[in-house]
Amino acid sequence: MRIGVLTSGGDCPGLNAVIRSIVHRAVVDHSDEVIGFQDGWKGLLECDYRKLDLDAVGGILARGGTILGSSRVQPAHLRGGVQRAKGHVADLGLDAIIPIGGEGTLKAARMLSDAGLPIVGVPKTIDNDIAGTDVTFGFDTAVGVATEALDRLKTTAESHQRVLIVEVMGRHTGWIALHSGMAAGAHAIVVPERPFDIDELTVRIGDRFEAGKKFAIVVAAEGAKPRAGSMVFDEGGRDVYGHERFAGIARQLSVELEERLGKEARPVILGHVQRGGTPTAYDRVLATRFGWHAVEAVHRGEFGHLTALQGTDIRMVPLADAVEDLKTVPDQRYAEAECVL
Amino acid sequence: MRIGVLTSGGDCPGLNAVIRSIVHRAVVDHSDEVIGFQDGWKGLLECDYRKLDLDAVGGILARGGTILGSSRVQPAHLRGGVQRAKGHVADLGLDAIIPIGGEGTLKAARMLSDAGLPIVGVPKTIDNDIAGTDVTFGFDTAVGVATEALDRLKTTAESHQRVLIVEVMGRHTGWIALHSGMAAGAHAIVVPERPFDIDELTVRIGDRFEAGKKFAIVVAAEGAKPRAGSMVFDEGGRDVYGHERFAGIARQLSVELEERLGKEARPVILGHVQRGGTPTAYDRVLATRFGWHAVEAVHRGEFGHLTALQGTDIRMVPLADAVEDLKTVPDQRYAEAECVL
Amino acid sequence: MRIGVLTSGGDCPGLNAVIRSIVHRAVVDHSDEVIGFQDGWKGLLECDYRKLDLDAVGGILARGGTILGSSRVQPAHLRGGVQRAKGHVADLGLDAIIPIGGEGTLKAARMLSDAGLPIVGVPKTIDNDIAGTDVTFGFDTAVGVATEALDRLKTTAESHQRVLIVEVMGRHTGWIALHSGMAAGAHAIVVPERPFDIDELTVRIGDRFEAGKKFAIVVAAEGAKPRAGSMVFDEGGRDVYGHERFAGIARQLSVELEERLGKEARPVILGHVQRGGTPTAYDRVLATRFGWHAVEAVHRGEFGHLTALQGTDIRMVPLADAVEDLKTVPDQRYAEAECVL
Amino acid sequence: MRIGVLTSGGDCPGLNAVIRSIVHRAVVDHSDEVIGFQDGWKGLLECDYRKLDLDAVGGILARGGTILGSSRVQPAHLRGGVQRAKGHVADLGLDAIIPIGGEGTLKAARMLSDAGLPIVGVPKTIDNDIAGTDVTFGFDTAVGVATEALDRLKTTAESHQRVLIVEVMGRHTGWIALHSGMAAGAHAIVVPERPFDIDELTVRIGDRFEAGKKFAIVVAAEGAKPRAGSMVFDEGGRDVYGHERFAGIARQLSVELEERLGKEARPVILGHVQRGGTPTAYDRVLATRFGWHAVEAVHRGEFGHLTALQGTDIRMVPLADAVEDLKTVPDQRYAEAECVL
């Protein structure tokens, strides 16, 4: 068989592990041929590709980034994109395409699948918010990086007798905030799914100081929002000065909490360190399994599906199921964290 | 309510996180009283305990070891051990006991439960071989440590043009070997569940060198065994000199492979570093959830069960189900690793 | 002898290692008594202290923060501060005081020393800018944290085809920027000591993209400044909107470079993670040696000095020499980095 | 100019950083041409080399191992080796050779230099025992790996109430043992330079247990030896069974201490993990500086020297000075560690 692979969307630890695994399984065990498209869908649309053999994937298992490059180009962005993709698949004699990507990529995958292309998707997001799979690779690494940072920040917050508001990734869901906050013992966690009450947050942190503690750590998902009208900045994310560029929940909360508590409060924005670099062992194993099973699905002709972790098994889930809704954090998980507002 | 907690058996990253979580949930949310027995069952049998309040568990979330100490003493070891345990539970007015431990501990827990004691178990093993739960805390940390070591060993093996046989923990099951071997891209993995054929292993490594590669990494679970009669040492684990103390699969394999391949082969025994120190974020979250749910089970009166991860949920599983058989690695998982013999 | 110890100023990995080392050397080897003042000079001024024995320093070697607490209070802040300090030293029968702190602390130490108090200083700063010593503890940890972050950011910058401007600590000197930038292979490093030319920086990054590279990493010390008039924001650190709070060299540079290069540019501010948490082995060894030698200096009566690393030896340097000028990065070191502007 | 580079001897974190730095400085700044010999001196003797341009050293700064390969072949091993080397240098029109290696390599370098070849050496050893330089790259990484392992082992030793004897690298000198032991707070450190007294060691550990402590960690350099006649095994390193292969100070000490103390004692041999993998930031900076200065020395015609760190400066030291004697740990350093026997 002849299989095309591409990686699309933002960086995510484990992408190279998936590519390597696909090549190992397909080339060694099935004697398939594998080609990799450059820079995501762009490579498919422009027929920019190269052959992927064992040498091409040597030494990449533990490396961050993607040897195939990535872009945010989607087939629907170009007039006639879908037709062009179909044409190239036919020209290249491809029996299957395996796109590795996030929500947008999988929606495009579904569209192409509906248009008749033989597609097996591999879900990718550090945010862990793709439905149908228990976990996505990259998430464990992101949580690990955030937790290590929180561990370090704790001693600093304590020495400086401060409130630190640490902003972690998660525009739509609070998975990284929840896990890293739990792992590091944060004193409050605010997430997009549950608009927080600034009064409650103030009381919670204030109580902690009154109990004699010298510091507090608040973990805030970047998409966390206060309940409407409860803070000095409005819901649009603009601060009191109407300034947008430097907006961000951690900076806003630090201004607000400092005024309310009369304690120094400082924002820390972890940013892109959460999405790059060497994947954890967990993510490498998950990514490797996804790659292996994607090849198997191709050989079974099980197209229009994506690989998913369910319990300890990898199962195939219809693309349609994965792209309907984001997987948000269930209430039970917040209850367990005990410190979410 | 009044709850007694104890940790029993070998060290495992996450023990302190469970203890902290139990105290947080019980004391803060349920106004329970929690006491901790010293050195496992020994503390219960000798009525050696102390009160665990919030201060007692401050700052321990990320710390290895256990603040309660541990031992390998089991109630059945002492004449009248079960009766004595029952007596102390009554004297102390305990509504529940939460033992945190491995297979032996959970068997003892089952025995005490059958004898009428109100017990909720929390499974603990870095080996990941307790049935009923997808994963146990400590396993992810052990795999992470082993993988980091393997990452380092790869460049050394390559520079020295050697075969390295790296022995990881796992007396009865190959979970750590499988996951760390997959994560680090080992060239062969040998495990207890599937006695390996030394001839096949030699061919596999030999083929690699013939293909121009300069090194090979074999990951061996400490309990891995060759098929009967296939190596110079017999199944009892003694080497050709009849020497037992320094036995070990990695040393034996390095002797054998060096002679068969004519290449330098060296054993590396990772040992206890796999079971100590700071837990990964994954293990801290899992341990924290186990502690939370153990307290809930106590309040629901759901005794005779242990906490278990199933998919993304924590569920209660009968103690009997967990201690019947070890959870071995299913064949499918070996197939995915592609390099197991 | 009776020795008082205090830690003053911002958090710095290795503080606890110094305290532990002082207690070990003084109590075990010299049968001294050691007391620790709470929250820096504040504790001395308010006579707030506790005894430090071996148990008090058990398990703290690898822990971030300081068990003694810290503050930014200086004796000169209080009317009669110096007299009060002298009074408490006499009342407590102290033979020596060992303050562990940065530039401000050492200046205060010098003033108290000049006023007749028996003082041996231990220099502390993650910025590595105290004169008289080759290195200060905390610096290696800060560089390590920044380098690890840069390693991760590289794959992300590459995948996203961006310029990342990474702001590291260093208000007055570029040591952390220089070392982490060299260690991670940054493409440009800007530091406080040498105002950079934005045109040169633009050309350098632009050349890189023209050579076919897909990303660039600029490391900027927080105190780095453009040559006067060369950027859209003035030297006062205000941006074009006159907005100060969200100012910062990384954000300013990202705005400027994005407009000039026509490439996405993003700021990453590493912030407080650089100054907290577990110290590296290097910092623990240096901190331990500083503590040991401070006690020896006390016993030799060598007051008015601070511990300093010179080559591989710890020597005593007059406090006066250390607080005159900051230790800036010599030009030779920039030449070696090859990428400083 | 035309410069040849080679790496010789065992693996050492930072080798690739030196190679990269040489190429950057020589090619970019001096418009030199650089070639790399394959597998150390072997490549020079067999004229096996390739051109090293910027692309060849892209992305290798943080990678362990050496892209040039290594071997233990020395010119003196081959009849006419020196003449052959001279011939190839002439044939290739080389203006200089930069060998990067340990004691053996530098001795060979000196011999070739004495024979008239233009040589600038770069010292390499994780053991830190090359004279003339304060530190060698690779050492900091080795100490870091050993310290992290010791940190983990501490919680395990405590939980299991054991003596752990941890064997670290250092056949002739105790630098790694000293630094990692100090950094991790070991309770005894034994090194090759100072034969230890087993009775004293037993008393020291015994006292610790009598003081109520539950565990002890002994760090042993692999070359550490007991004073003659003081242990059950003789000085030749053979155990009581006359068995050599599995010999090793950690195993011998664990047998001896277990019998003498009546406490469980277990050996842990860290082995090759100490010499592979990603270098620390410290080692990357030092390696990069060595490479830069080696190229400068070539351009100044300062042959017959090696790069050396002295304080914060890189200086050139005659090869003769570096290979006379090993740099052993001075007594003062042991005194500071307080726990060496």
Side-chain angles (χ1 to χ4, degrees):
Chain A
M1 285 197 163
R2 199 155 196 242
I3 302 172
V5 180
L6 60 87
T7 52
S8 174
D11 196 17
C12 181
L15 287 170
N16 281 326
V18 181
I19 298 168
R20 172 185 174 275
S21 177
I22 288 171
V23 172
H24 275 230
R25 181 63 177 168
V27 173
V28 178
D29 299 339
H30 289 294
S31 304
D32 296 334
E33 195 180 346
V34 180
I35 64 171
F37 291 103
Q38 195 63 34
D39 295 337
W41 295 116
K42 193 158 163 276
L44 173 59
L45 296 171
E46 298 177 357
C47 218
D48 182 7
Y49 68 94
R50 61 186 158 120
K51 199 182 153 186
L52 293 179
D53 55 15
L54 286 183
D55 279 349
V57 298
I60 67 170
L61 172 56
R63 243 181 262 167
T66 158
I67 58 166
L68 293 178
S70 182
S71 71
R72 298 199 180 271
V73 173
Q74 304 286 8
H77 291 176
L78 276 81
R79 194 201 299 238
V82 175
Q83 277 320 107
R84 207 190 292 181
K86 290 183 77 164
H88 291 156
V89 168
D91 294 349
L92 293 165
L94 291 178
D95 299 295
I97 298 177
I98 305 178
I100 310 164
E103 207 207 348
T105 305
L106 296 176
K107 278 185 176 156
R110 187 192 175 186
M111 190 182 63
L112 293 177
S113 177
D114 289 347
L117 283 176
I119 290 193
V120 172
V122 173
K124 174 230 73 163
T125 166
I126 61 159
D127 292 335
N128 196 36
D129 57 5
I130 293 179
T133 182
D134 286 357
V135 190
T136 42
F137 65 86
F139 173 64
D140 189 66
T141 303
V143 170
V145 169
T147 301
E148 199 183 312
L150 287 165
D151 283 351
R152 291 199 173 275
L153 291 168
K154 264 191 153 172
T155 74
T156 292
E158 186 168 17
S159 300
H160 295 214
Q161 308 197 10
R162 273 178 185 170
V163 181
L164 285 187
I165 297 94
V166 185
E167 189 174 306
V168 299
M169 289 201 161
R171 246 174 242 180
H172 307 294
T173 59
W175 288 105
I176 293 177
L178 178 77
H179 277 240
S180 64
M182 259 182 122
H187 309 106
I189 301 173
V190 294
V191 294
E193 293 98 327
R194 296 157 59 111
F196 64 89
D197 186 303
I198 186 70
D199 295 323
E200 280 178 29
L201 182 60
T202 309
V203 168
R204 170 187 290 260
I205 305 295
D207 283 354
R208 189 173 150 80
F209 281 101
E210 268 175 39
K213 303 294 182 182
K214 293 182 165 174
F215 73 105
I217 303 272
V218 179
V219 174
E222 59 184 333
K225 290 194 190 77
R227 283 191 203 140
S230 76
M231 275 174 74
V232 295
F233 56 90
D234 64 39
E235 274 200 308
R238 291 176 173 274
D239 66 23
V240 286
Y241 310 102
H243 200 297
E244 195 184 33
R245 183 170 184 87
F246 297 141
I249 187 66
R251 287 193 204 97
Q252 293 162 349
L253 265 178
S254 69
V255 173
E256 187 91 14
L257 285 175
E258 186 162 310
E259 289 197 13
R260 284 166 170 257
L261 288 163
K263 298 274 176 190
E264 261 195 4
R266 290 286 176 274
V268 178
I269 294 104
L270 294 186
H272 291 290
V273 289
Q274 296 163 83
R275 66 179 324 126
T278 300
T280 58
Y282 183 97
D283 280 337
R284 296 190 214 169
V285 169
L286 182 57
T288 298
R289 296 183 74 192
F290 274 1
W292 194 94
H293 282 272
V295 173
E296 291 310 284
V298 166
H299 278 267
R300 286 194 307 268
E302 199 170 353
F303 298 113
H305 286 68
L306 52 73
T307 56
L309 178 71
Q310 294 186 349
T312 56
D313 296 325
I314 308 294
R315 302 230 172 92
M316 301 308 297
V317 170
L319 281 166
D321 293 1
V323 299
E324 288 287 287
D325 295 301
L326 283 181
K327 181 180 67 180
T328 53
V329 184
D331 282 349
Q332 167 60 26
R333 294 300 310 279
Y334 290 122
E336 292 165 14
E338 285 183 81
C339 61
V340 178
L341 292 159
Chain B
M1 285 199 164
R2 199 155 195 241
I3 302 174
V5 180
L6 60 88
T7 51
S8 174
D11 196 17
C12 182
L15 287 170
N16 280 327
V18 181
I19 297 168
R20 172 186 175 274
S21 177
I22 288 170
V23 171
H24 275 230
R25 180 63 177 169
V27 173
V28 179
D29 299 340
H30 289 294
S31 304
D32 296 334
E33 195 181 344
V34 179
I35 63 170
F37 290 103
Q38 195 64 34
D39 297 335
W41 295 115
K42 192 157 164 275
L44 173 59
L45 296 170
E46 298 177 356
C47 218
D48 181 7
Y49 68 93
R50 63 189 157 119
K51 198 180 154 187
L52 293 179
D53 55 15
L54 285 183
D55 279 348
V57 297
I60 68 168
L61 171 56
R63 243 181 262 168
T66 159
I67 58 166
L68 292 178
S70 183
S71 71
R72 298 199 181 270
V73 172
Q74 305 287 8
H77 291 176
L78 276 82
R79 195 199 299 237
V82 175
Q83 278 319 106
R84 207 190 294 178
K86 290 183 78 165
H88 293 156
V89 168
D91 293 349
L92 293 165
L94 290 179
D95 299 294
I97 298 177
I98 305 179
I100 310 164
E103 208 208 347
T105 306
L106 297 176
K107 278 186 176 153
R110 188 191 174 187
M111 189 183 62
L112 293 176
S113 178
D114 289 347
L117 284 175
I119 289 194
V120 172
V122 173
K124 173 229 73 162
T125 166
I126 62 160
D127 292 333
N128 197 35
D129 57 6
I130 293 179
T133 182
D134 286 357
V135 190
T136 41
F137 65 85
F139 173 65
D140 189 66
T141 303
V143 170
V145 169
T147 301
E148 201 183 312
L150 287 166
D151 283 351
R152 290 200 174 274
L153 291 168
K154 264 191 153 175
T155 74
T156 292
E158 186 168 16
S159 299
H160 294 216
Q161 310 197 10
R162 274 180 186 169
V163 181
L164 285 185
I165 297 95
V166 186
E167 190 173 306
V168 300
M169 289 199 161
R171 247 174 243 181
H172 307 294
T173 59
W175 288 104
I176 293 176
L178 178 77
H179 277 241
S180 63
M182 258 181 122
H187 309 108
I189 301 173
V190 294
V191 294
E193 293 97 329
R194 296 157 60 111
F196 63 88
D197 186 301
I198 186 71
D199 295 323
E200 279 178 30
L201 182 59
T202 309
V203 168
R204 172 186 287 260
I205 305 295
D207 283 354
R208 190 173 150 78
F209 280 102
E210 269 175 37
K213 303 294 182 181
K214 295 181 164 176
F215 73 106
I217 302 271
V218 179
V219 174
E222 57 184 335
K225 289 194 189 78
R227 284 191 204 140
S230 76
M231 274 177 74
V232 294
F233 54 91
D234 64 39
E235 274 199 309
R238 291 177 172 272
D239 66 23
V240 286
Y241 310 102
H243 200 297
E244 194 183 35
R245 181 167 188 90
F246 297 142
I249 186 66
R251 286 194 204 97
Q252 293 163 347
L253 265 178
S254 69
V255 174
E256 186 91 11
L257 285 175
E258 187 163 308
E259 289 197 13
R260 284 166 170 259
L261 288 163
K263 298 273 176 191
E264 262 194 3
R266 290 285 175 275
V268 178
I269 294 104
L270 294 186
H272 291 291
V273 288
Q274 296 162 81
R275 67 180 322 128
T278 300
T280 58
Y282 183 97
D283 280 337
R284 297 189 213 168
V285 170
L286 182 57
T288 299
R289 296 183 74 194
F290 274 1
W292 195 93
H293 282 272
V295 173
E296 292 310 284
V298 166
H299 278 266
R300 287 194 308 268
E302 199 169 353
F303 298 115
H305 286 67
L306 52 74
T307 57
L309 179 70
Q310 294 187 351
T312 57
D313 296 325
I314 308 294
R315 302 228 173 94
M316 300 308 296
V317 169
L319 281 167
D321 293 1
V323 298
E324 287 287 287
D325 295 301
L326 283 181
K327 181 180 67 180
T328 53
V329 184
D331 283 347
Q332 167 61 25
R333 293 300 309 280
Y334 290 122
E336 292 165 15
E338 286 182 81
C339 61
V340 178
L341 291 160
Chain C
M1 286 198 162
R2 198 154 197 243
I3 302 172
V5 180
L6 59 88
T7 52
S8 174
D11 195 18
C12 183
L15 287 170
N16 281 327
V18 181
I19 298 167
R20 171 185 175 276
S21 177
I22 288 170
V23 172
H24 275 229
R25 180 64 177 168
V27 173
V28 178
D29 299 339
H30 290 294
S31 303
D32 296 334
E33 195 180 346
V34 180
I35 63 170
F37 291 105
Q38 194 64 34
D39 296 337
W41 295 114
K42 192 156 163 277
L44 173 59
L45 296 170
E46 298 177 357
C47 217
D48 181 7
Y49 68 94
R50 61 187 158 119
K51 199 181 153 187
L52 292 179
D53 54 15
L54 286 184
D55 278 349
V57 298
I60 68 169
L61 172 56
R63 243 181 262 167
T66 159
I67 58 165
L68 292 179
S70 183
S71 71
R72 300 198 179 271
V73 173
Q74 304 287 7
H77 291 174
L78 276 82
R79 194 200 299 238
V82 175
Q83 276 322 107
R84 207 191 291 180
K86 290 183 78 166
H88 291 156
V89 167
D91 294 348
L92 292 165
L94 290 179
D95 299 293
I97 298 177
I98 305 179
I100 310 164
E103 207 207 349
T105 305
L106 297 175
K107 278 185 175 154
R110 186 191 176 187
M111 189 183 63
L112 293 177
S113 177
D114 290 347
L117 283 176
I119 289 194
V120 172
V122 173
K124 174 230 72 161
T125 165
I126 61 160
D127 292 334
N128 197 36
D129 57 7
I130 293 179
T133 182
D134 287 356
V135 190
T136 41
F137 66 86
F139 172 63
D140 188 67
T141 303
V143 170
V145 169
T147 301
E148 199 183 312
L150 287 165
D151 283 351
R152 289 198 174 276
L153 290 168
K154 265 191 151 174
T155 74
T156 292
E158 187 169 16
S159 299
H160 295 215
Q161 309 199 9
R162 274 179 184 170
V163 182
L164 285 186
I165 297 95
V166 185
E167 189 173 308
V168 299
M169 289 201 161
R171 246 174 243 182
H172 307 294
T173 60
W175 288 104
I176 293 176
L178 179 77
H179 277 240
S180 63
M182 260 181 119
H187 309 108
I189 301 173
V190 295
V191 294
E193 293 97 329
R194 299 158 57 112
F196 63 89
D197 186 301
I198 186 70
D199 294 323
E200 280 178 29
L201 182 60
T202 309
V203 168
R204 171 187 288 262
I205 305 295
D207 283 354
R208 190 173 150 78
F209 280 102
E210 271 176 35
K213 304 293 182 183
K214 295 182 164 175
F215 73 105
I217 303 273
V218 179
V219 174
E222 58 184 333
K225 289 194 190 78
R227 282 189 205 141
S230 78
M231 273 175 75
V232 294
F233 56 90
D234 64 39
E235 275 199 307
R238 291 175 173 275
D239 67 21
V240 287
Y241 310 102
H243 200 296
E244 195 184 34
R245 181 166 189 89
F246 298 141
I249 187 64
R251 286 194 204 96
Q252 293 164 348
L253 266 178
S254 69
V255 173
E256 187 91 12
L257 285 175
E258 186 163 309
E259 290 198 12
R260 284 167 169 258
L261 289 164
K263 299 272 176 192
E264 261 195 4
R266 290 285 176 276
V268 178
I269 294 104
L270 294 186
H272 291 291
V273 287
Q274 296 163 82
R275 68 180 319 129
T278 300
T280 58
Y282 183 97
D283 280 337
R284 296 190 214 169
V285 169
L286 182 57
T288 299
R289 297 185 73 193
F290 274 2
W292 195 93
H293 282 272
V295 172
E296 292 310 284
V298 166
H299 278 266
R300 286 195 308 268
E302 198 170 353
F303 298 114
H305 287 67
L306 54 72
T307 57
L309 178 71
Q310 294 186 351
T312 56
D313 296 326
I314 308 295
R315 303 228 172 93
M316 301 308 296
V317 170
L319 281 166
D321 294 0
V323 299
E324 288 287 286
D325 294 301
L326 282 181
K327 181 180 68 179
T328 54
V329 184
D331 282 349
Q332 168 61 25
R333 294 300 310 279
Y334 290 122
E336 292 165 13
E338 287 182 81
C339 61
V340 178
L341 291 160
Chain D
M1 286 196 161
R2 197 152 199 245
I3 301 172
V5 180
L6 60 87
T7 51
S8 175
D11 195 18
C12 182
L15 287 170
N16 281 326
V18 181
I19 298 168
R20 171 185 175 276
S21 178
I22 288 170
V23 171
H24 275 230
R25 181 61 176 169
V27 173
V28 178
D29 299 340
H30 290 294
S31 304
D32 297 333
E33 195 181 345
V34 180
I35 63 170
F37 291 104
Q38 195 63 34
D39 295 337
W41 295 114
K42 192 156 164 275
L44 173 58
L45 296 170
E46 298 177 357
C47 218
D48 181 8
Y49 69 93
R50 63 188 158 120
K51 199 181 154 188
L52 293 180
D53 55 15
L54 286 183
D55 279 348
V57 298
I60 68 169
L61 171 55
R63 245 181 261 167
T66 159
I67 59 165
L68 293 178
S70 182
S71 71
R72 299 197 180 270
V73 173
Q74 304 287 8
H77 291 176
L78 276 80
R79 194 199 299 237
V82 174
Q83 277 321 107
R84 207 190 292 181
K86 290 183 79 165
H88 291 158
V89 167
D91 293 349
L92 293 165
L94 290 179
D95 299 294
I97 298 177
I98 305 178
I100 311 164
E103 208 207 349
T105 305
L106 296 176
K107 279 186 175 153
R110 188 192 173 185
M111 190 183 61
L112 292 178
S113 177
D114 289 348
L117 284 176
I119 289 195
V120 172
V122 173
K124 173 229 75 161
T125 166
I126 61 160
D127 291 335
N128 196 36
D129 57 6
I130 293 179
T133 182
D134 287 358
V135 190
T136 41
F137 65 86
F139 173 64
D140 189 66
T141 304
V143 171
V145 169
T147 301
E148 200 183 311
L150 287 164
D151 283 351
R152 289 199 175 275
L153 290 169
K154 263 191 153 173
T155 72
T156 292
E158 187 168 16
S159 299
H160 294 214
Q161 310 200 10
R162 274 180 185 168
V163 182
L164 284 187
I165 297 96
V166 185
E167 189 173 307
V168 300
M169 289 200 160
R171 247 175 242 181
H172 306 293
T173 60
W175 289 105
I176 294 176
L178 179 77
H179 277 241
S180 63
M182 259 182 122
H187 309 107
I189 301 174
V190 294
V191 295
E193 294 97 328
R194 297 157 60 110
F196 63 89
D197 187 301
I198 186 71
D199 294 324
E200 280 178 29
L201 182 60
T202 308
V203 168
R204 172 186 287 261
I205 305 295
D207 283 355
R208 189 173 150 80
F209 280 103
E210 269 177 36
K213 303 294 183 181
K214 294 182 166 174
F215 73 106
I217 303 271
V218 179
V219 175
E222 58 183 334
K225 289 196 189 77
R227 283 190 204 141
S230 76
M231 273 175 75
V232 293
F233 55 91
D234 64 40
E235 274 198 310
R238 292 179 172 272
D239 66 23
V240 285
Y241 310 102
H243 200 297
E244 195 183 34
R245 180 165 189 91
F246 297 141
I249 186 66
R251 286 193 204 98
Q252 294 164 348
L253 265 178
S254 69
V255 173
E256 186 89 13
L257 286 175
E258 186 162 309
E259 289 198 14
R260 284 165 170 259
L261 288 163
K263 298 273 177 192
E264 260 195 5
R266 289 285 177 275
V268 178
I269 294 104
L270 294 186
H272 291 291
V273 289
Q274 294 163 82
R275 67 180 320 129
T278 299
T280 59
Y282 183 96
D283 280 337
R284 296 190 214 169
V285 170
L286 182 57
T288 299
R289 296 183 75 193
F290 274 2
W292 195 93
H293 282 272
V295 172
E296 291 310 284
V298 166
H299 278 267
R300 285 194 311 268
E302 198 169 353
F303 298 115
H305 286 67
L306 53 74
T307 56
L309 179 70
Q310 295 186 350
T312 57
D313 295 325
I314 308 294
R315 302 227 172 95
M316 300 308 297
V317 170
L319 280 167
D321 293 2
V323 298
E324 288 286 287
D325 295 301
L326 284 181
K327 181 180 68 180
T328 53
V329 184
D331 282 349
Q332 167 60 26
R333 295 301 310 280
Y334 290 122
E336 292 165 16
E338 286 183 79
C339 61
V340 177
L341 290 161

